[in-house]
Amino acid sequence: MIAFAQRNLKVFFRDRASVFFSLLAVFIVLGLYAAFLRSTLTRGLEHIPGAEFLMDSWTMAGLLAVTSLTTTLGAAGVLVDDKVKGIAKDFRCAPLKRSTIVGGYLLASVAVGIVLTTLAFVLSQVFIWANGGKLLTLAAVLKTLGLIVLSSVTSGAFISFLVSFIKTPNAFAVASTVIGTLSGFLTGIYVPISMLPSGIQTAVKLFPISHAAVLFRQVMMEVPLAETFAGAPEAVLTSFQEDFGIMFRFGDAIFSAAGSVAVLVGATFVFFLLAVWRMLKEGK
């Protein structure tokens, strides 16, 4: 499995265009945020201490969740190319288990997701620091890196299942465009979750990668939240966290961080098994 994953990684990184377009969402979000989203989100908050640091951290945390999804999707293009060129059929005829083949593609996607999302994390910290914010503590950095691994694994499993239905480069390009566009809304980068219709809010809360965004925000926004809401009533802080997707509420209960981790782990197993099932079905 590892040798097969290494092969996929070499194929992906040889194509510089694929690497660039996998990171394109990062550059687009950073550009949009710096150009006008930042001023829009902080308008009217000038009197609140640390408002810009708070919103910068909120956006950059969501960006990491999106990046883990779009980069693993870019790496999954290797599977689509293998299908088009007939290489995938050769692998299925080889004495390899279907789980080994799927695992090799998944490992490669996860590795790409971890590397490129870590790069996005570094860029996000530079952006926050350059705009007057504070860098994360070592403990927070380690937590964030752990979440990058977890979100990349979940994204890789989800993408492996999704790509199992795609058979042509054109279909893959369309899927990449749709996912890249929707991921920003589903993780609450462009608009806070409270501004979405109730039905869309439910869809966001059910989307596994949205839980990765929640976890990233809880780690990266711990300091700015403490600074901005120092002395404020607990109800005010809780309301802000719910409105901006820093925590999810289901009914009368707040969904815990452990619950979000469980969602990501469970989604990983489910989508991996579904991807294996799809490949078994294709091989018949």
Side-chain angles (χ1 to χ4, degrees):
M1 183 185 297
I2 294 178
F4 186 53
Q6 290 175 337
R7 173 262 178 191
N8 295 331
L9 284 171
K10 290 178 181 178
V11 172
F12 173 76
F13 281 108
R14 272 204 304 262
D15 189 346
R16 295 181 180 178
S18 295
V19 177
F20 171 77
F21 283 111
S22 295
L23 281 171
L24 187 59
V26 177
F27 301 128
I28 290 176
V29 171
L30 283 175
L32 289 174
Y33 183 71
F36 65 89
L37 284 177
R38 189 171 190 260
S39 59
T40 300
L41 289 169
T42 57
R43 186 177 299 138
L45 302 177
E46 292 81 4
H47 63 288
I48 299 177
E52 291 185 344
F53 178 30
L54 179 71
M55 299 316 300
D56 288 349
S57 300
W58 177 75
T59 301
M60 295 304 112
L63 175 64
L64 297 186
V66 169
T67 305
S68 70
L69 185 65
T70 58
T71 53
T72 52
L73 177 61
V78 175
L79 172 58
V80 177
D81 287 340
D82 286 347
K83 287 182 180 181
V84 173
K85 297 175 182 178
I87 299 175
K89 291 183 178 179
D90 294 337
F91 289 142
R92 287 198 294 268
C93 293
L96 293 173
K97 294 181 179 179
R98 295 292 186 269
S99 57
T100 299
I101 297 174
V102 176
Y105 285 117
L106 175 59
L107 274 178
S109 294
V110 169
V112 169
I114 292 172
V115 171
L116 298 186
T117 306
T118 300
L119 174 60
F121 173 52
V122 173
L123 293 175
S124 72
Q125 286 295 284
V126 171
F127 181 90
I128 291 172
W129 175 78
N131 284 281
K134 299 177 182 178
L135 298 177
L136 293 177
T137 63
L138 177 59
V141 168
L142 294 176
K143 289 180 182 178
T144 304
L145 291 176
L147 291 175
I148 287 174
V149 173
L150 178 58
S151 63
S152 296
V153 171
T154 304
S155 295
F158 171 69
I159 291 300
S160 294
F161 172 63
L162 180 67
V163 171
S164 68
F165 293 93
I166 299 175
K167 301 182 183 300
T168 66
N170 288 338
F172 181 73
V174 172
S176 298
T177 302
V178 171
I179 292 173
T181 303
L182 288 179
S183 60
F185 290 98
L186 290 173
T187 54
I189 285 184
Y190 303 129
V191 292
I193 185 174
S194 61
M195 298 179 64
L196 300 173
S198 59
I200 303 299
Q201 290 186 34
T202 301
V204 168
K205 293 175 183 180
L206 294 177
F207 185 54
I209 308 305
S210 295
H211 288 268
V214 166
L215 293 169
F216 279 124
R217 288 178 182 131
Q218 289 177 1
V219 173
M220 295 180 66
M221 296 182 70
E222 182 177 1
V223 171
L225 280 172
E227 292 182 357
T228 301
F229 290 91
E234 185 68 24
V236 174
L237 173 59
T238 300
S239 177
F240 178 84
Q241 290 176 312
E242 289 182 36
D243 289 345
F244 281 80
I246 304 169
M247 60 171 60
F248 285 158
R249 178 183 291 276
F250 289 89
D252 296 328
I254 297 294
F255 207 63
S256 66
S260 292
V261 171
V263 167
L264 292 173
V265 172
T268 298
F269 282 106
V270 169
F271 285 118
F272 177 74
L273 292 175
L274 287 173
V276 173
W277 171 74
R278 278 287 305 163
M279 185 161 285
L280 285 171
K281 188 176 180 181
E282 284 185 345
K284 291 181 180 180

